[in-house]
Amino acid sequence: MKKYLFALLMVCLPAVALAAGGATYPMDAFKADLKDQESLQRGMGLFVNRCMGCHSMEFQRFTRTGADIGIPDDLMEEYLILGDHGVNDQMTISMDKVDAATWFGIAPPDLSLTARLRGGEWIYNYLRTFYRDDAAPFGVNNPVFPDVGMPNVLEDLRGVVVNHCTHEELLAHGGFTGTLDPLTGNRSGQCLQVQPGTGSMTTAEFDQAIYDLTNFMTYVGEPSKLQAHRIGTYVLIFLVIFTFVAYLLKREYWRDIH
Ligand code: HEC
């Protein structure tokens, strides 16, 4: 019995150690919907226009992406292929990694597999929590990725976001989910606040845009998933028809024996 208790303790220890660690940012939930083609298409539009200046998706080809998410090659070429790529090319970029490392301190990583490594929830929250921080090297910070080396490239959409809390409070209360403290009254409970009139999107529109972008990145992380769903349907239809044929065949064989 003692042995089992000891084993149980060893199994639980890592969880206890994690729980005892410092505060981590309370993430908003994210659930990908790979069947929502319009969301995936909008996400790709945003990615190509706002992210591909710095980030590649080297494991992904334009034409394959189009086939998977419902964008014909000609529309892809007209609207989504910037620079001199063809539809059969991979989604690479021309920025030199060494130059980029000099500009940003670290080269912007390829994002083909980021959704698989970090998870959709991480990306969805990361992209929605940039805020101004004069002490940080790029003038921005992020509770999901502290001291981040990426500039806030969507500030014109989101607006200028300011953190009204300490770093610890920000981690404990979250970005846009806190409540006003009626006792002190001098600090709004929401740590991250958008300065009105500085962004072109409302919070709901921005959340939707980042949802689409994260959805698209989730698809790119595992493109075969969409194909697997499609093939899966055909396999099931085939099995039903085959079962019927097998049944007819069985009846035919047994007719002579009875
Ligand atoms: C001006 C260049 C630039 C642009 C444009 C840009 N990024 Fe970044 N991004 C970076 C740099 C540099 C890093 C590395 C940050 C670090 O490690 O501190 C980064 C890191 C990231 C990471 C974290 C990767 C990881 O696993 O560590 C994600 C996710 C990301 N970017 C997504 C995006 C998305 C989505 C867009 C478009 C909305 C975008 N980026 C636009 C420069 C850029």
Side-chain angles (χ1 to χ4, degrees):
M1 186 66 192
K2 258 191 197 153
K3 223 165 46 187
Y4 288 119
L5 276 179
F6 182 69
L8 190 70
L9 190 72
M10 293 312 278
V11 170
C12 294
L13 261 185
V16 174
L18 270 181
T24 48
Y25 185 76
M27 301 272 201
D28 289 337
F30 170 85
K31 194 170 180 302
D33 180 4
L34 300 185
K35 291 204 192 77
D36 188 347
Q37 283 210 333
E38 283 176 19
S39 162
L40 294 171
Q41 292 167 2
R42 287 193 302 264
M44 181 174 189
L46 207 55
F47 184 81
V48 168
N49 283 298
R50 295 301 191 118
C51 319
M52 260 185 97
C54 295
H55 293 286
S56 55
M57 280 189 167
E58 285 181 356
F59 299 154
Q60 193 70 17
R61 274 178 209 281
F62 285 103
T63 178
R64 161 78 193 266
T65 313
D68 282 348
I69 70 175
I71 304 176
D73 280 356
D74 53 335
L75 288 185
M76 182 74 90
E77 259 179 352
E78 200 172 333
Y79 297 108
L80 293 173
I81 303 184
L82 315 174
D84 43 38
H85 278 115
V87 277
N88 291 315
D89 289 341
Q90 282 142 288
M91 295 173 64
T92 52
I93 55 169
S94 51
M95 182 191 275
D96 185 76
K97 282 218 150 57
V98 179
D99 283 347
T102 327
W103 297 328
F104 302 111
I106 178 167
D110 182 88
L111 295 183
S112 312
L113 297 175
T114 306
R116 249 211 266 182
L117 297 174
R118 298 278 203 181
E121 189 180 85
W122 188 92
I123 296 174
Y124 180 63
N125 284 274
Y126 165 67
L127 293 172
R128 287 160 57 249
T129 50
F130 278 85
Y131 67 91
R132 287 253 174 125
D133 179 359
D134 293 338
F138 284 93
V140 293
N141 215 328
N142 191 307
V144 177
F145 192 150
D147 299 324
V148 66
M150 173 170 139
N152 184 4
V153 296
L154 301 176
E155 194 176 67
D156 59 313
L157 305 180
R158 181 76 191 104
V160 174
V161 177
V162 178
N163 178 22
H164 289 274
C165 309
T166 64
H167 183 67
E168 282 66 34
E169 284 171 327
L170 174 57
L171 291 185
H173 298 318
F176 295 92
T177 52
T179 49
L180 189 81
D181 184 345
L183 284 179
T184 58
N186 57 359
R187 179 178 66 75
S188 159
Q190 292 194 328
C191 294
L192 298 184
Q193 287 194 358
V194 186
Q195 291 183 346
T198 52
S200 59
M201 286 183 171
T202 63
T203 300
E205 285 168 350
F206 186 73
D207 284 354
Q208 180 65 48
I210 300 301
Y211 177 88
D212 297 339
L213 190 51
T214 311
N215 210 17
F216 174 69
M217 287 178 67
T218 306
Y219 147 71
V220 172
E222 218 168 335
S224 51
K225 226 179 196 168
L226 267 182
Q227 211 171 31
H229 282 266
R230 234 181 343 247
I231 296 173
T233 314
Y234 291 127
V235 169
L236 285 180
I237 293 172
F238 169 77
L239 280 178
V240 170
I241 296 173
F242 179 76
T243 309
F244 183 64
V245 173
Y247 168 73
L248 291 182
L249 202 64
K250 179 217 158 223
R251 257 202 358 196
E252 188 60 31
Y253 283 158
W254 281 82
R255 203 203 317 253
D256 299 339
I257 300 171
H258 282 311

